[in-house]
Amino acid sequence: MLNALIPLSALLISNAFLILGHGLLLTLLPIAASESGFSDTQVALTGSGYFLGFVSGCLATPYMLKRVGHIRSFAVLATCYSVVILIFPLLPEFYSWMLLRFLIGVMISGLYMIIESWLNGTSTASNRGSILSTYTTLNLIMVMCGQQLFNLGSDRESMLFGLAAIFISIAIIPVSLTRSSAPAVVKQVKLNMAKVWRHSHIALIGAVVAGFVTGAFWALAPIYAKDNGFDSIQLGAFLSATVLGGACFQVPLGKLSDRFDRRSVLMFTALVGSLVSLLFVVLPYVVTTFGGWPAAISAFFWGGTCMTLYAICLAHANDNATAEDFVEISSAMLITLGLSSAIGAPMASLAMGLLGANGLYAFTSSCLAIFSVIVLLRRRSHIAPSTLATKESFRAVTDMASPTAYEMDPRTEIDPQAEAQQR
């Protein structure tokens, strides 16, 4: 494993600095927008711009890679990202931020695609799963570290914007100096929503619901914390606990879905997530009495349910699918997640307009409750198509990735016997 990672060290160091700066921005931008006088709906729409940019970048980046290659594409995108970050404080206007957040989405998805295709191109069948796990874990750790950097100067936004730009600029250095050869150009992203729908109605619906919930969280959770009086330390702990909960619960719930009907696991996970969301409606009163720990603990379990839905839905979509279909189905699921995230953020802002800050979690509770009912009705009317013998083994995935990440998943490997039978 160590021998496989050493040639990738420069790339992983660049990835760490990139995600560190990006993780800081995930917390900073909603708070800075609110401080600039944006309404909750406007903050949500800037978040929607980011998710639309992310989807656009997934589709457009392969054309750039064909033209100039991996290293120059990485340098261009990271440089543009740093420049855009520094423009935010200069143009504190809604439409400007909509455009800037769209551009950030384009650039970060392109950077993800470059990194992931590079990792895939240098991995082998024997170490691909380990490299993917290392990459996913590194991303989660650096996002949490970036969120904690918000504590350095929550009242000095210009300094934080500069700090994020510095980290992303530093990310250019290791990749530019590496002696490792860049991989071949990535393939175009193929989308086939009809194929996903044929494989599993619940998986596609689940991706939509997961997008609604996580899109609302990333766009508006910092506003929820700010409006309820969380200080910068409590806010950082609140957001990091959510990410940590998703990381800790994903594998146990995934393994549980390997043993039982995945739809049952999805139903109960969504139901628990709905109930935990309801806690946040009354949580501010608890926080003012006992401090921020109740919020962090509840956020941990909220992340453990809501941040794991997509991975289980993805596994369910790929049950009974062939290895050749894996990347196509997974790409369609990820694009669905991104588009749904763009829609979920403004929908949640409407709930916040009606109910105040607590409307964010009233919205997520409603989405998850509706999904659990849909799964229940689907289970009653449709026998599970998968048995333990035909299920694909669950593997942890992150929604902070491009479709290229799925090419590293060992589930894309074709069984030699099955391939011989097809011939």
Side-chain angles (χ1 to χ4, degrees):
M1 178 60 186
L2 184 61
N3 292 334
L5 291 177
I6 289 176
L8 300 171
S9 57
L11 183 63
L12 292 175
I13 292 171
S14 289
N15 178 71
F17 279 107
L18 174 68
I19 303 302
L20 186 62
H22 184 62
L24 173 57
L25 282 180
L26 290 176
T27 302
L28 175 60
L29 286 174
I31 297 295
S34 180
E35 294 291 341
S36 298
F38 291 15
S39 67
D40 290 345
T41 300
Q42 289 176 324
V43 174
L45 288 173
T46 61
S48 297
Y50 166 79
F51 291 114
L52 291 175
F54 192 96
V55 172
S56 300
C58 290
L59 300 175
T61 300
Y63 296 99
M64 183 179 186
L65 290 174
K66 284 183 178 179
R67 183 175 179 84
V68 298
H70 284 68
I71 295 177
R72 281 184 284 183
S73 294
F74 188 97
V76 168
L77 289 174
T79 301
C80 291
Y81 195 167
S82 299
V83 171
V84 169
I85 291 172
L86 297 175
I87 294 175
F88 274 102
L90 303 178
L91 297 174
E93 301 171 354
F94 168 64
Y95 291 107
S96 299
W97 278 42
M98 276 278 291
L99 175 61
L100 293 174
R101 291 212 70 179
F102 174 85
L103 293 175
I104 281 181
V106 172
M107 288 177 284
I108 192 63
S109 66
L111 290 165
Y112 281 156
M113 184 169 283
I114 292 168
I115 293 169
E116 290 155 7
S117 63
W118 200 323
L119 293 174
N120 182 55
T122 55
S123 62
T124 63
S126 60
N127 62 26
R128 187 174 291 123
S130 298
I131 290 176
L132 177 60
S133 298
T134 301
Y135 169 71
T136 300
T137 302
L138 178 64
N139 281 4
L140 292 170
I141 292 172
M142 299 315 294
V143 165
M144 289 189 288
C145 291
Q147 290 170 335
Q148 294 304 312
L149 289 175
F150 184 76
N151 298 328
L152 295 178
S154 58
D155 56 342
R156 292 178 290 173
E157 293 176 355
S158 296
M159 183 198 76
L160 295 178
F161 278 113
L163 190 62
I166 288 171
F167 286 131
I168 292 172
S169 297
I170 292 175
I172 301 173
I173 299 173
V175 164
S176 300
L177 295 178
T178 184
R179 299 172 62 183
S180 301
S181 300
V185 176
V186 301
K187 300 177 182 177
Q188 299 295 326
V189 177
K190 296 181 179 180
L191 301 179
N192 191 336
M193 299 299 180
K195 180 178 289 187
V196 181
W197 183 254
R198 287 194 303 269
H199 276 274
S200 173
H201 296 4
I202 289 299
L204 194 59
I205 296 171
V208 171
V209 172
F212 285 170
V213 171
T214 57
F217 171 82
W218 289 116
L220 295 168
I223 304 300
Y224 165 87
K226 171 181 171 292
D227 289 350
N228 282 300
F230 290 27
D231 59 31
S232 59
I233 295 177
Q234 290 174 332
L235 188 151
F238 172 71
L239 297 178
S240 295
T242 305
V243 177
L244 181 62
C248 291
F249 278 87
Q250 186 171 137
V251 172
L253 287 175
K255 296 301 182 183
L256 191 66
S257 74
D258 282 345
R259 296 187 58 188
F260 303 99
D261 186 348
R262 294 201 206 275
R263 297 174 303 175
S264 297
V265 177
L266 284 170
M267 181 179 67
F268 285 109
T269 300
L271 182 59
V272 172
S274 178
L275 295 175
V276 175
S277 294
L278 288 178
L279 290 178
F280 286 97
V281 177
V282 297
L283 192 58
Y285 305 104
V286 179
V287 171
T288 56
T289 305
F290 299 102
W293 287 111
I297 294 171
S298 299
F300 177 81
F301 288 103
W302 189 90
T305 54
C306 300
M307 295 291 181
T308 56
L309 280 178
Y310 172 71
I312 302 174
C313 288
L314 178 61
H316 186 46
N318 282 292
D319 284 339
N320 296 325
T322 62
E324 296 93 328
D325 291 334
F326 181 85
V327 173
E328 187 174 0
I329 290 174
S330 301
S331 299
M333 288 282 287
L334 184 64
I335 297 300
T336 300
L337 181 80
L339 294 175
S340 301
S341 298
I343 299 171
M347 289 173 63
S349 72
L350 295 177
M352 293 177 72
L354 294 173
L355 303 174
N358 298 338
L360 169 62
Y361 287 97
F363 169 76
T364 61
S365 179
S366 300
C367 290
L368 294 168
I370 292 172
F371 179 59
S372 63
V373 172
I374 292 174
V375 177
L376 176 62
L377 296 176
R378 181 68 178 170
R379 287 184 71 252
R380 288 183 173 181
S381 63
H382 190 264
I383 299 173
S386 300
T387 64
L388 293 178
T390 59
K391 276 188 177 180
E392 291 288 342
S393 297
F394 176 87
R395 282 187 175 269
V397 298
T398 175
D399 54 0
M400 298 180 63
S402 76
T404 311
Y406 297 121
E407 296 181 10
M408 284 189 288
D409 197 300
R411 287 173 287 188
T412 62
E413 296 169 10
I414 301 175
D415 184 359
Q417 294 182 354
E419 187 178 22
Q421 292 177 356
Q422 291 176 1
R423 292 176 180 174

